[in-house]
Amino acid sequence: MRIAAQPGSSYQQPFELLAACHERIERSLRLLARLCEHLATAGPDAVARDAARDVLRYFDIAAPLHQQDEELHVFPALAGDPVLAPVCARLQAQHREIEARWRPLRALLQALDTAELAALRQAAEAFARLHEEHLRSENELIFPAAQALLGEAQGQAMGIEMAARRGLTLTG
């Protein structure tokens, strides 16, 4: 079953959606940091398990789709730029590093009741640090440059494809 995205949805403004995804990544990273603090004082209680589930859900489902959006639409738009193409290549390599760092962190979050707190904290901090420079480069440099290069029709096509990856269809 496909769900229809409403007119005026962020899929019709794909760069706004990408920026909103970055805000959700930052929010999920803050939740992860708060989770580590909570575990240090309260242990793996129901609050901690709920927070871990929220972090797992975001980085298991939404974050990989976001990376696909960037790799399929944003980075290719800048492939001909001699300054920005290497930046895009570095960001794409960072996506692989983010995925690699997520796997052990994910395992620790899934085994929250028995996870070693120091290992979880270390993995969470490394994961967050990797995102900091990555998100800044995309927000301040890559997204504005790609948006300037893509025309309205390309932006609409991008939004349609982004929605389709999430099982949505644009209406209106």
Side-chain angles (χ1 to χ4, degrees):
M1 177 169 134
R2 294 181 79 73
I3 300 169
Q6 297 303 311
S9 74
S10 56
Y11 292 101
Q12 293 176 335
Q13 301 295 323
F15 283 95
E16 289 177 16
L17 176 66
L18 291 170
C21 286
H22 281 189
E23 291 171 10
R24 286 189 291 279
I25 289 169
E26 291 168 337
R27 190 168 44 243
S28 294
L29 291 171
R30 285 191 303 272
L31 177 59
L32 180 59
R34 287 193 313 273
L35 168 61
C36 289
E37 293 302 318
H38 180 84
L39 287 168
T41 59
D45 61 4
V47 171
R49 284 188 286 281
D50 285 346
R53 267 193 301 276
D54 287 347
V55 171
L56 284 162
R57 185 174 32 254
Y58 187 80
F59 287 107
D60 278 347
I61 298 169
L65 289 169
H66 173 75
Q67 287 182 353
Q68 281 184 311
D69 295 337
E70 293 173 345
E71 292 182 8
L72 293 172
H73 302 288
V74 178
F75 299 161
L78 301 172
D81 187 297
V83 172
L84 297 178
V87 176
C88 290
R90 186 186 80 237
L91 292 169
Q92 197 160 2
Q94 285 176 345
H95 283 172
R96 304 295 80 78
E97 187 177 351
I98 287 168
E99 292 165 6
R101 288 191 184 265
W102 173 240
R103 286 188 290 276
L105 177 55
R106 181 180 193 276
L108 290 164
L109 291 169
Q110 287 178 316
L112 196 62
D113 289 333
T114 59
E116 164 62 38
L117 181 57
L120 175 60
R121 183 183 301 275
Q122 183 179 24
E125 288 172 355
F127 192 67
R129 274 192 311 273
L130 181 56
H131 278 86
E132 286 174 18
E133 185 271 333
H134 183 87
L135 296 176
R136 188 173 37 259
S137 292
E138 288 178 346
N139 288 340
E140 295 174 6
L141 186 63
I142 298 303
F143 289 177
Q147 187 172 13
L149 284 175
L150 295 175
E152 185 176 332
Q154 289 171 304
Q156 288 176 345
M158 178 178 162
I160 289 167
E161 289 177 26
M162 288 168 65
R165 264 190 292 289
R166 290 156 177 84
L168 303 170
T169 55
L170 292 180
T171 62

